[in-house]
Amino acid sequence: MDKILKVNDLSVSFDTYGGEVKAVRGVTFELKEKETLAIVGESGSGKSVTAQSLMRLVPMPPGKFTGGSIEFNGENIVEKSEKQMESIRGKDISMIFQDPMTSLNPTMTVGKQIAEGLIKHQNMSKKEAYHRGVELLKLVGIPNPEARIKQYPHQFSGGMRQRAMIAIALACNPKVLIADEPTTALDVTIQAQILDLMRELQDKTGTAIILITHDLGVVANAAHRVAVMYGGKIVETGTVDEIFYNPKHPYTWGLLGSMPKLDGGSEELQAIPGSPPDLADPPKGCPFATRCPYAMKVCEDHMPQYTEVSASQKNACWLLDQRAPKVDIPDTAIVGGTKVHG
C-alpha cells in the first residue's frame, strides 16, 4: 500500500503564562492507504494536538510549529497558507471530533451542515447536496433519513449525533479520516456500533483512518497498527498483534495492565503510579523514567533512540540496549482470550 501521510519529527508548542509547553516533541509516523492507525496514550500525552496539527487546527497563537513536517500527497502541510488549508480540510483530510454535541452547530439542521462541505468542495447545488446528505445519513445507519436531515442536533440521540458527524466527515470522500476519541461519550453498545460502522465504511470507501484514543480495548478490534504516545513522544509502534502480544515498552505494559481481563483472572486493575511529566519543563531523558519501575540512571539522563524490534515494530526504551539487564513482560501485561485483529 502507498503511504498517503508522512509525519516527520513534528514538534508543536504552546506559549502560556507558565512558559512554553512542548506538547508534541519529535513525533514521526506514517499512514498507508486503507489503513487504520491508532494513536493511544493517557490524557495529556499529545494525541489530540498531533491530530489537530494534521489539519492545522491548532490555534496559532498560542500554538506554534517548532519543527518537523507533515507530508500529504508529497506536500508539506506545515508550510501551507490558511487559504490553501481551506481547500484541504473536509475535502482531503476530515475529522470526527470527540463530542458531537459541541462540534455540531445547534442553530443549523443536520442536512445544512452536511451540505456545506458538498457545496464548497464538490460544487454541488443545494438540491444535489441535500440528496447526497440523505444518502450519507442512510449510509451511516440513521433511520428515516429524509425526515432526519431536516432536524437539528438536539433532536438526535448521542449515538445518532456521532453518526451524523461521521456523515459530515465522509461527505467529500476524504483520503484521510481523523477520529479523535469518537466513542468516549457513548455507552458500550453504541461504541461497538460506531466502531463497526467505521470499519464498514473504510471497506467501502478505502479511506485511511487515524484513531485517537486512550482505550486499548477500542484499538484491539479497530486498528491495523498502533503508536503508543507518552509525554509528547511516540514511545512504541507496531501492529496490533505486536503491541498486544509482544509489547516492549514499560509504558505499554502499564496500559495493558490497566485493561480489564476477560479470562477469569484477577479483577484488580493495575494503575500506573505517579503523574505524566510537566511539558513546560520536559525531562531530558525518557519521559516515562520517573514512573517506570525498571528505570536506570541512563533513562533519566538520555533520551533512548528507537530500536527496531521487527520490520513493523519500533521501541524507544533503554531496556532494549544489549547492555541493559533482562526484564520479562509482567504477568499483568499479558493479554488473554481471543486473538485480536491485526
Side-chain angles (χ1 to χ4, degrees):
M1 291 185 288
D2 293 333
K3 295 169 187 172
I4 192 169
L5 187 73
K6 185 175 181 180
V7 178
N8 184 47
D9 202 26
L10 179 68
S11 295
V12 182
S13 295
F14 292 87
D15 291 323
T16 71
Y17 291 115
E20 182 183 1
V21 176
K22 298 176 180 178
V24 176
R25 305 186 294 144
V27 164
T28 297
F29 63 86
E30 297 173 342
L31 180 69
K32 299 176 183 177
E33 293 178 345
K34 303 178 182 180
E35 177 184 51
T36 296
L37 169 69
I39 301 179
V40 303
E42 291 173 89
S43 296
S45 61
K47 309 183 304 295
S48 290
V49 174
T50 300
Q52 291 167 12
S53 298
L54 302 181
M55 290 183 69
R56 288 275 300 277
L57 291 176
V58 174
M60 297 187 180
K64 59 185 178 181
F65 289 110
T66 56
S69 62
I70 303 168
E71 293 184 15
F72 174 69
N73 283 345
E75 298 182 353
N76 188 2
I77 284 177
V78 173
E79 297 175 349
K80 289 189 176 294
S81 67
E82 179 60 25
K83 189 163 185 64
Q84 289 173 318
M85 284 305 303
E86 287 177 3
S87 66
I88 293 175
R89 293 192 197 107
K91 179 184 177 185
D92 295 318
I93 306 177
S94 204
M95 193 166 188
I96 304 169
F97 294 94
Q98 185 168 347
D99 184 358
M101 195 59 204
T102 57
S103 301
L104 293 170
N105 189 329
T107 68
M108 294 169 57
T109 65
V110 169
K112 188 172 183 180
Q113 294 183 63
I114 296 174
E116 273 189 325
L118 293 167
I119 293 169
K120 177 179 175 62
H121 295 301
Q122 304 292 322
N123 297 318
M124 287 187 181
S125 67
K126 185 177 178 180
K127 183 177 180 180
E128 290 172 330
Y130 270 81
H131 178 72
R132 175 59 178 157
V134 170
E135 292 178 344
L136 285 163
L137 290 182
K138 185 177 181 180
L139 180 68
V140 299
I142 291 181
N144 197 12
E146 294 84 359
R148 287 292 189 177
I149 200 168
K150 300 173 185 177
Q151 294 182 335
Y152 291 85
H154 74 270
Q155 295 174 284
F156 281 43
S157 68
M160 288 174 64
R161 283 194 293 266
Q162 194 62 286
R163 289 171 184 268
M165 278 290 299
I166 295 173
I168 293 170
L170 290 174
C172 296
N173 300 316
K175 297 180 177 68
V176 176
L177 178 64
I178 303 166
D180 187 5
E181 302 275 9
T183 62
T184 296
L186 306 174
D187 65 57
V188 291
T189 303
I190 303 300
Q191 281 185 22
Q193 292 176 6
I194 294 297
L195 293 171
D196 287 343
L197 172 63
M198 289 175 61
R199 281 196 299 271
E200 290 171 10
L201 294 175
Q202 185 179 52
D203 290 339
K204 292 177 182 178
T205 64
T207 300
I209 297 174
I210 295 176
L211 176 63
I212 309 295
T213 183
H214 64 274
D215 186 349
L216 276 173
V218 168
V219 170
N221 294 308
H224 301 98
R225 286 191 304 120
V226 182
V228 180
M229 199 165 180
Y230 182 80
K233 287 184 165 291
I234 289 178
V235 297
E236 184 164 21
T237 61
T239 65
V240 168
D241 277 357
E242 286 169 335
I243 295 301
F244 274 79
Y245 294 106
N246 191 35
K248 296 297 184 182
H249 199 284
Y251 179 60
T252 310
W253 298 347
L255 290 179
L256 290 168
S258 68
M259 287 177 59
K261 302 294 190 296
L262 301 178
D263 58 359
S266 171
E267 294 183 2
E268 182 180 352
L269 300 182
Q270 303 296 315
I272 302 174
S275 301
D278 179 5
L279 294 183
D281 183 24
K284 61 180 179 179
C286 173
F288 191 58
T290 58
R291 303 175 73 185
C292 180
Y294 314 101
M296 302 171 284
K297 185 68 170 67
V298 68
C299 303
E300 300 175 3
D301 297 337
H302 300 282
M303 191 75 71
Q305 300 297 311
Y306 285 105
T307 298
E308 192 171 281
V309 179
S310 70
S312 55
Q313 186 176 11
K314 292 182 180 179
N315 183 288
C317 181
W318 284 111
L319 288 177
L320 293 185
D321 190 285
Q322 60 183 0
R323 296 165 292 181
K326 180 175 173 56
V327 174
D328 293 326
I329 299 175
D331 291 342
T332 54
I334 296 174
V335 177
T338 307
K339 195 177 192 297
V340 296
H341 165 74

